[in-house]
Amino acid sequence: MNKMIISVLAKDRPGIIASVTSDLCDLGCNLENVNQMILQNQFAGFFIVQAPEGVSAETIRQELTLKEEANGLTIHVRSLEGDTQMPVEEKEIFLITTSGPDQKGLVAQLSDVISSFGANIVNLKAVFMGGSNPNENVMSYQVPVTKEIDAPALFAALKEKAKKLDLDIRIQHKNIFDVTNKI
């Protein structure tokens, strides 16, 4: 196995994904997963690749940096060797959405509650436009809940924290969310 994760940060513009994936192909890497997002005007991309045997993460980083230096990309490469696969656990995914007035520490305080129950956030989107219009300040967490986690206690703690922060909170099982949003 010669699996690596590559993160790319840059000011957003057309062609970043095309350029990086072309470079990776030239280096003999096979893409396994790609995820990218735009936050305001900043691009963040994550690429998991299978690199050719014997090629180090440092070699990939140096080659990519040389090819992309003029484009203003910040590149980080890390080998995934030694990272073990997470055991497959039976879990149910919940979507936790909050809205309310903007203030410092919202993500920190809610994510602290989630982690205190041993739950992991697998996806988080937060948009803060400032001010008190709840429609302009929304956070959405995707949290798998395993049978080891006391889900009712977690949800009660989240509701209590949201109340203290003057946030509206909605907690839905992902399956219910998917069905209600198909209409």
Side-chain angles (χ1 to χ4, degrees):
M1 179 180 100
N2 198 18
K3 194 177 284 195
M4 299 176 190
I5 184 165
I6 300 162
S7 62
V8 176
L9 301 173
K11 183 177 180 184
D12 189 37
R13 60 174 171 70
I16 293 174
I17 291 176
S19 180
V20 170
T21 56
S22 177
D23 292 343
L24 289 170
C25 184
D26 291 346
L27 294 169
C29 296
N30 184 40
L31 285 175
E32 290 189 359
N33 295 96
V34 177
N35 198 347
Q36 66 88 201
M37 66 186 77
I38 307 298
L39 295 174
Q40 297 183 8
N41 67 346
Q42 300 299 309
F43 171 92
F46 303 94
F47 306 79
I48 292 182
V49 302
Q50 188 72 36
E53 286 300 323
V55 175
S56 71
E58 181 58 23
T59 299
I60 297 291
R61 189 198 62 76
Q62 288 176 355
E63 293 291 327
L64 276 178
T65 299
L66 281 174
K67 290 177 175 245
E68 295 294 344
E69 196 168 35
N71 292 326
L73 276 60
T74 301
I75 297 169
H76 177 78
V77 181
R78 184 172 68 86
S79 174
L80 294 178
E81 283 188 45
D83 286 4
T84 56
Q85 289 274 344
M86 296 291 287
V88 177
E89 297 177 86
E90 190 173 318
K91 58 190 172 199
E92 296 188 49
I93 297 178
F94 287 85
L95 301 176
I96 300 160
T97 305
T98 66
S99 62
D102 190 17
Q103 57 186 294
K104 289 182 181 175
L106 293 176
V107 173
Q109 293 187 59
L110 287 169
S111 61
D112 185 56
V113 171
I114 293 167
S115 70
S116 72
F117 281 83
N120 191 29
I121 300 167
V122 295
N123 195 1
L124 166 63
K125 291 183 181 177
V127 177
F128 301 108
M129 303 300 283
S132 59
N133 183 344
N135 295 325
E136 293 183 349
N137 303 302
V138 178
M139 296 182 289
S140 178
Y141 300 81
Q142 197 171 67
V143 178
V145 176
T146 63
K147 62 184 177 185
E148 290 80 22
I149 296 171
D150 184 350
L154 168 62
F155 300 153
L158 284 167
K159 288 175 183 174
E160 183 180 320
K161 180 60 77 175
K163 186 176 180 180
K164 286 181 182 174
L165 296 170
D166 195 25
L167 297 174
D168 290 327
I169 188 166
R170 188 173 20 160
I171 301 171
Q172 288 183 296
H173 192 283
K174 185 176 183 308
N175 293 344
I176 294 171
F177 177 85
D178 290 343
V179 168
T180 57
N181 287 290
K182 281 186 180 176
I183 299 173

